[in-house]
Amino acid sequence: MLHSIYRPYRSGSIQALIHARSMGHYIVPSGWTDNPIEKPFLELFWCVSGIGEFRCMEESVFLNPGEVCFYFPGDCHHIRAYTPWEYYWLTIDGPDPDLLIRMFHLTRPPRYAGSCPAELFNRLSGELRDTSARGEFRAGAIAYEILSLAMGGAEPEENGKLRRFRALLEDSFHDPDLQIETIAGKIGIHRSSLTRLVKRYCGMSPMEYLLSFRVQEALRLLNDTEYSIKEIAACTGFRDPNYFTKVISRRLGKPPSALRRT
C-alpha cells in the first residue's frame, strides 16, 4: 500500500519558516526499493514496523520501529525494505532549510523517537488537501509538531529515568543544598551516567537543567506574586540574593526587579 499526497504548487505561497510539501504512508514488502534520486528538500522517515535500509553518506543504516531518520536537501535517496515495512514520511522545504536543520539539531542517522504519531500524519494529509493559505499554515504547524516529537524522544529503557530525574528535581529544586549526586542516588545510577543521559536527551548537564528550572520558577513568582526578590531567591533554591540577581540578569538581560509585571 502506497498512500501519498503532494502540495499542488512548486513552492510555498506563504511567508513561513516551514512549508510542508508532501507526506505519505507506505506499507511495502521485503525487497521493495524506491527509485534513487537526489532531492532538494528535507525528508523525515518514521518507522512503524519492520526494518528499512537507507544509504547514508556512503554507508547503509537501518531504520527500526519507533526510529526516525532524515535525508537533507541535496542528498541522493536510496531506500529499500529490508523486511516487510510500514513507515510514514514527510517532506519539508522553506526559505532556509539549513536554519531548520540547525534549529532542530537534525542528523541523518536513525534515532529513537517513540511510537509514530500516525494521527498527526493523517491530519497533515487533510491539511495538504486544503490548497488555501489557511491549509498551508496549518500543514506547516503540524509538520513543526512532528519534527518536535521526532527530536524530543528518548530511549524506551531510559524514559523512566528521565521522568524520575525531572520529578525529583521538581520536588527538591527549592533546596539550596540539593546535589546532583543525591538525585542520581535516588534514581539508582551513578552521577556520570545521569549526566550522560540528561546531556543526550535534554542538551544540557543536570546542573544546568536544575538552574534553568529555578529560573523558570523565579519568573513565575516575579509575575504572579508580591514576594520580595529576597523571598523569591529563597523559594527557588538561591541562598544568596545577589547571586540570584546575577543569574537572572545574565540569562534574561534584565535584573529581577525589571521583570516584574507592572
Side-chain angles (χ1 to χ4, degrees):
M1 185 214 56
L2 303 179
H3 165 74
S4 56
I5 183 165
Y6 299 85
R7 190 176 59 204
Y9 30 81
R10 184 177 180 83
S11 60
S13 63
I14 62 172
Q15 295 296 316
L17 177 63
I18 292 180
H19 294 151
R21 68 184 310 278
S22 58
M23 63 78 58
H25 176 203
Y26 285 9
I27 301 175
V28 294
S30 176
W32 172 89
T33 60
D34 204 356
N35 293 326
I37 187 172
E38 182 179 313
K39 299 182 180 180
F41 44 74
L42 176 69
E43 185 161 6
L44 172 151
F45 302 85
W46 202 315
C47 181
V48 176
S49 63
I51 302 173
E53 182 181 3
F54 293 77
R55 287 289 301 277
C56 181
M57 306 299 286
E58 303 304 321
E59 295 183 358
S60 289
V61 297
F62 295 92
L63 191 69
N64 297 289
E67 292 182 343
V68 298
C69 70
F70 296 88
Y71 275 129
F72 289 177
D75 286 347
C76 187
H77 294 210
H78 293 267
I79 305 169
R80 182 174 77 92
Y82 190 73
T83 69
W85 186 28
E86 178 181 4
Y87 69 97
Y88 284 83
W89 57 265
L90 159 67
T91 68
I92 296 170
D93 55 18
D96 192 345
D98 289 339
L99 175 61
L100 190 63
I101 291 168
R102 293 195 303 272
M103 282 175 56
F104 280 95
H105 305 287
L106 305 183
T107 58
R108 292 179 178 87
R111 70 185 307 276
Y112 188 84
S115 298
C116 178
E119 181 182 354
L120 282 178
F121 280 97
N122 291 333
R123 284 173 51 200
L124 176 60
S125 176
E127 296 300 344
L128 284 170
R129 292 183 185 279
D130 181 350
T131 60
S132 67
R134 170 193 172 278
E136 192 168 354
F137 275 118
R138 291 175 66 89
I142 295 171
Y144 189 97
E145 186 173 357
I146 291 172
L147 279 176
S148 298
L149 290 173
M151 300 312 293
E155 298 293 345
E157 66 273 15
E158 295 172 338
N159 264 336
K161 293 175 183 177
L162 281 171
R163 286 195 298 268
R164 181 70 171 146
F165 165 72
R166 295 189 181 107
L168 289 167
L169 185 144
E170 290 183 25
D171 286 343
S172 306
F173 74 93
H174 49 79
D175 179 3
D177 295 319
L178 179 63
Q179 299 292 321
I180 299 303
E181 288 92 345
T182 302
I183 295 178
K186 290 181 178 179
I187 296 172
I189 60 177
H190 193 274
R191 174 181 174 144
S192 61
S193 298
L194 178 62
T195 297
R196 287 193 296 271
L197 177 67
V198 176
K199 278 189 173 181
R200 183 176 182 185
Y201 296 112
C202 300
M204 62 183 74
S205 70
M207 201 65 207
E208 179 67 15
Y209 194 99
L210 171 59
L211 187 61
S212 294
F213 191 89
R214 284 171 167 164
V215 170
Q216 183 181 63
E217 180 65 10
L219 284 172
R220 183 188 70 80
L221 294 173
L222 284 166
N223 280 288
D224 297 346
T225 75
E226 298 298 325
Y227 292 169
S228 69
I229 301 300
K230 184 176 180 179
E231 288 172 325
I232 292 175
C235 287
T236 53
F238 292 90
R239 184 177 283 108
D240 181 358
N242 292 326
Y243 177 63
F244 169 72
T245 297
K246 182 179 180 180
V247 169
I248 296 294
S249 299
R250 185 174 65 243
R251 282 176 165 251
L252 303 175
K254 296 180 180 179
S257 58
L259 294 168
R260 306 213 77 150
R261 181 175 296 164
T262 57

